[in-house]
Amino acid sequence: MKAAVFHGPNQMDVEEVKKPQITDCEVLVKVAASAICGTDVRIFEGKKTKGVRTPSIIGHETVGSIVEVGEKVEGYQVNDRVGIMPVISCKKCHYCLNGMENVCANRTAIGYEFDGGFAEYIRIPKAAVESENLVKLPDQVTFERAVISEPLACCINGQKKAKVKMGDTVVVIGGGPIGLMHVQLAKIAGAKRVILSELIEHRRERALEAGADIVINPLKESLEETVMTTTAKLGADVVIMAIGVPSLVNSSAKLLKKGGTLNLFAGFTNGELTEIDPNLIHYNEININGTSALTRSDYHNALSFIEAGLINTEILSSFGYTLDTINEAITNVSSGEGMKSIITV
Ligand SMILES: [Zn+2]
Ligand SMILES: [Zn+2]
């Protein structure tokens, strides 16, 4: 089969590799669409290495159709259209037992420890089949829309951590696909005002279309001033960092009202540190937390939001890529020229 094989930083080659063989307890999925995640870009650029093998096939945002089902597998059939929830948790560790399967101590994932979706076929390992990480897609949801379920599920997890609630003023730093998902979800959660900060013009325009009330170019306007004037000098209830720039953490915390929450949603480059004024946290009683990956419940919720027509997936996506043009698809995400690149296989 054809696959994009990751050999190391900045080296991804489209090659002919062996089609995966499944055991009695596994399922083989023919990939219909895979999306490029910001994390894939960080892996490609060598900025994320945890769980990444070389050579391997990465890609963890994938949907497709089942083409082979192991003899002992129950509940799935050939031709079922499915979304793949990539995180495989152990169900036994302290975190799994306490409702945090997304950060399972023994966690593995498709697209990391197991080969992922930048290929024609993908093998779904036994543990993933047994925990129903394959989620059947509603008939009316196209593959191109369904492939947004995985990142949207991570954003739903983030919104919960950020505690967005009715009437809030929410600031989103970064207007890439993830930032625009946060804009839409904050509106669904009842935020009265969403302010988004983004350098790239086409992304600011899309953010307005996604429902942001105010968008600013931080090179031309002060985000802090905008937040303070629109909140009667109180500050925002919630700030979500949808870009992993460590030097922006302190200035993001300064946008909050007392008792507000800053969520570090995006991942950061390994080993990069930043300074933060501890008195901001102390005197203002603000909360700073993070978000990592998704639970199976988040995935089901995300898919149901898409099915219900609550999410504009089109403005988040850039179409027209195939496995052969995957390098271009990655570069366009990294440069911000495109939105989320969708690879159709
Ligand atoms: Zn992702
Ligand atoms: Zn676990």
Side-chain angles (χ1 to χ4, degrees), residues 198-199 201 204 216-223 225-226:
E198 165 63 47
L199 292 169
E201 191 183 358
R204 289 197 300 274
I216 73 138
N217 175 353
L219 289 182
K220 294 200 174 142
E221 296 153 271
S222 154
L223 177 59
E225 249 179 66
T226 307

Side-chain angles (χ1 to χ4, degrees), residues 60-63 82-87 132-137 146-154 156-157 294-306:
H60 58 269
E61 302 179 359
T62 297
V63 292
V82 288
I84 300 165
M85 176 352 207
V87 176
E132 302 194 0
N133 282 39
L134 283 180
V135 180
K136 288 184 198 164
L137 301 177
V147 78
I148 298 296
S149 300
E150 198 274 346
L152 184 66
C154 297
I156 289 174
N157 181 20
L294 70 164
T295 63
R296 286 169 294 167
S297 156
D298 296 323
Y299 193 95
H300 281 273
N301 279 332
L303 193 55
S304 73
F305 281 21
I306 294 172

Side-chain angles (χ1 to χ4, degrees), residues 55-258:
S56 74
I57 301 167
I58 63 169
H60 58 269
E61 302 179 359
T62 297
V63 292
S65 303
I66 294 179
V67 284
E68 275 178 53
V69 179
E71 254 171 51
K72 292 187 185 141
V73 172
E74 282 172 24
Y76 296 105
Q77 279 169 349
V78 169
N79 290 331
D80 280 350
R81 297 166 74 247
V82 288
I84 300 165
M85 176 352 207
V87 176
I88 306 167
S89 51
C90 75
K91 324 282 180 297
K92 295 183 269 217
C93 74
H94 172 81
Y95 299 110
C96 284
L97 293 175
N98 287 281
M100 296 172 75
E101 66 175 35
N102 54 311
V103 290
C104 165
N106 308 305
R107 156 196 156 145
T108 53
I110 292 170
Y112 296 87
E113 288 82 1
F114 299 97
D115 276 346
F118 298 156
E120 284 181 294
Y121 295 92
I122 181 167
R123 175 178 72 94
I124 309 302
K126 179 174 183 238
V129 174
E130 284 175 354
S131 51
E132 302 194 0
N133 282 39
L134 283 180
V135 180
K136 288 184 198 164
L137 301 177
D139 288 341
Q140 68 274 31
V141 178
T142 62
F143 285 127
E144 285 77 9
R145 289 174 66 218
V147 78
I148 298 296
S149 300
E150 198 274 346
L152 184 66
C154 297
C155 293
I156 289 174
N157 181 20
Q159 292 271 321
K160 285 192 275 189
K161 301 280 152 62
K163 301 183 193 76
V164 178
K165 58 187 188 310
M166 203 184 289
D168 276 357
T169 293
V170 175
V171 176
V172 178
I173 314 282
I178 291 293
L180 267 52
M181 285 185 226
H182 278 300
V183 167
Q184 299 189 52
L185 289 171
K187 281 291 180 177
I188 291 169
K192 77 169 169 233
R193 194 184 295 112
V194 178
I195 302 169
L196 180 131
S197 170
E198 165 63 47
L199 292 169
I200 302 171
E201 191 183 358
H202 83 92
R203 291 186 161 189
R204 289 197 300 274
E205 282 162 13
R206 283 171 190 257
L208 287 172
E209 223 183 300
D213 301 282
I214 301 170
V215 295
I216 73 138
N217 175 353
L219 289 182
K220 294 200 174 142
E221 296 153 271
S222 154
L223 177 59
E224 194 175 345
E225 249 179 66
T226 307
V227 171
M228 293 308 160
T229 47
T230 49
T231 58
K233 294 204 177 81
L234 280 175
D237 299 274
V238 171
V239 176
I240 296 170
M241 286 192 69
I243 44 168
V245 182
S247 61
L248 293 180
V249 174
N250 197 64
S251 55
S252 297
K254 273 164 85 177
L255 303 173
L256 288 170
K257 67 156 73 153
K258 291 177 183 177

Side-chain angles (χ1 to χ4, degrees), residues 1-5 7 13-20 57 118-121 323-324:
M1 68 165 180
K2 195 186 268 190
V5 181
H7 289 281
D13 297 322
V14 181
E15 294 168 18
E16 203 53 43
V17 300
K18 237 183 108 211
K19 186 173 162 185
I57 301 167
F118 298 156
E120 284 181 294
Y121 295 92
L323 280 176
D324 292 313

Side-chain angles (χ1 to χ4, degrees), residues 40-66:
D40 297 320
V41 177
R42 285 166 55 230
I43 293 171
F44 182 76
E45 293 172 348
K47 292 176 180 165
K48 184 191 163 81
T49 48
K50 196 168 169 262
V52 181
R53 298 162 297 124
T54 48
S56 74
I57 301 167
I58 63 169
H60 58 269
E61 302 179 359
T62 297
V63 292
S65 303
I66 294 179

